[in-house]
């Protein structure tokens, strides 16, 4: 089957750094994406890794190791507004369509 | 990023009635649109993938006669929940993307409550 594993909840302090891990087991793989979703809102795209290594975008970075079927999202200088759920998703091709296979999400709780 | 709108944002309907949800990509032509369902504090569950001008591909366990999807143009896809039941109450989200686009752009979602 296809599965993505990520922690259900992570707690961190404002101003700190937090890492959210994601391991995946899928039949195909075209890349690993990260999305942020605030309560009651829709997911918004954060990053995408197709190749091994670290991608940095401001305070957020995302890492991928294809040999380990593993990636992580790194959030630095945490702000209260970063409190949200974070989903990893594998981009796969199904019936000639690219689809996202989603993890269950990690709820990030930030304390002052 | 691209803008995707969804209408209505909230709808309350009675059991047995049908509800149509519209998803529009406002600033790009979306060859592929996705419909998701999300229960509280849960992940997104893909319901179907719709390509413009062809029949939608439904995920296993999703009734295609109950959840009618039409993708008549490159900017509009609709989801109609037919003969709605209280268990259909959920948050429905569409996204547009596919092809060479690496990311999916999500609409703001529609909260459906069936009484």
């Amino acid at each position: 089957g296809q599965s993505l594993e990520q922690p259900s909840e992570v707690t961190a302090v404002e101003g700190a750094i937090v890492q959210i891990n994601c391991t995946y087991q899928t039949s195909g793989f075209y890349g690993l994406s990260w999305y942020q979703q605030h309560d009651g809102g829709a997911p918004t795209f954060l990053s995408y890794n197709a190749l091994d290594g670290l991608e940095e975008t401001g305070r957020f970075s995302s890492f991928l190791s294809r040999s380990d079927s593993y990636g992580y999202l790194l959030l630095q200088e945490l702000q209260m507004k970063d409190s949200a759920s974070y989903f990893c998703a594998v981009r796969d091709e199904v019936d000639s369509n690219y689809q996202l296979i989603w993890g269950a999400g990690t709820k990030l709780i930030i304390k002052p | 990023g691209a803008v995707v709108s969804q209408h209505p944002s909230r709808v309350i309907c009675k059991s047995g009635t049908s509800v149509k949800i519209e998803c529009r990509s406002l600033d790009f032509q979306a060859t592929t649109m996705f419909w998701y369902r999300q229960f509280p504090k849960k992940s997104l569950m893909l319901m179907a993938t719709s390509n413009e001008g062809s029949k939608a591909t439904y995920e296993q366990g999703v009734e295609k006669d109950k959840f009618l999807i039409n993708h008549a143009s490159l900017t509009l896809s609709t989801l109609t929940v037919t003969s709605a039941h209280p268990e259909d109450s959920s948050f429905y989200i569409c996204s547009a993307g596919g092809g060479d686009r690496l990311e999916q752009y999500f609409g703001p979602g529609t909260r459906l409550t069936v009484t």
Side-chain angles (χ1 to χ4, degrees), chain A residues 33 35 37 39-45 48 87 91 94-95 97-100 102-105 107, chain B residues 32 34 36 38 42-44 46 49 51 57 59 91 93 99-104 106-108 111:
Chain A
S33 299
Y35 286 79
Q37 185 180 27
D39 282 347
T44 55
F45 173 80
Y48 177 79
F87 294 88
R91 188 170 184 243
V94 179
D95 296 329
N97 285 312
Y98 285 115
Q99 283 186 2
L100 289 176
W102 295 82
K107 185 176 177 64
Chain B
T32 306
F34 305 88
Y36 293 89
Q38 188 176 32
K42 297 292 184 185
S43 187
L44 291 91
L46 180 65
T49 302
N51 288 308
T57 303
E59 295 300 301
F91 192 49
I93 313 175
D100 294 335
R101 290 182 176 270
L102 300 178
E103 61 265 38
Q104 291 185 13
F106 286 82
R111 188 158 305 281

Side-chain angles (χ1 to χ4, degrees), chain A residues 99-100 102, chain B residues 6 21 33-39 43-50 56-69 78-82 87-88 90-95 104 110 112:
Chain A
Q99 283 186 2
L100 289 176
W102 295 82
Chain B
Q6 203 170 324
I21 302 169
M33 286 187 172
F34 305 88
W35 286 97
Y36 293 89
R37 183 174 180 177
Q38 188 176 32
F39 292 104
S43 187
L44 291 91
M45 185 191 81
L46 180 65
M47 299 174 67
T49 302
S50 106
T57 303
Y58 289 81
E59 295 300 301
Q60 194 171 7
V62 179
E63 300 174 57
K64 61 181 180 181
D65 294 332
K66 179 169 182 60
F67 298 99
L68 302 178
I69 291 171
T78 61
L79 168 68
T80 302
V81 182
T82 62
E87 56 264 32
D88 297 326
S90 189
F91 192 49
Y92 292 88
I93 313 175
C94 71
S95 72
Q104 291 185 13
T110 297
L112 170 64

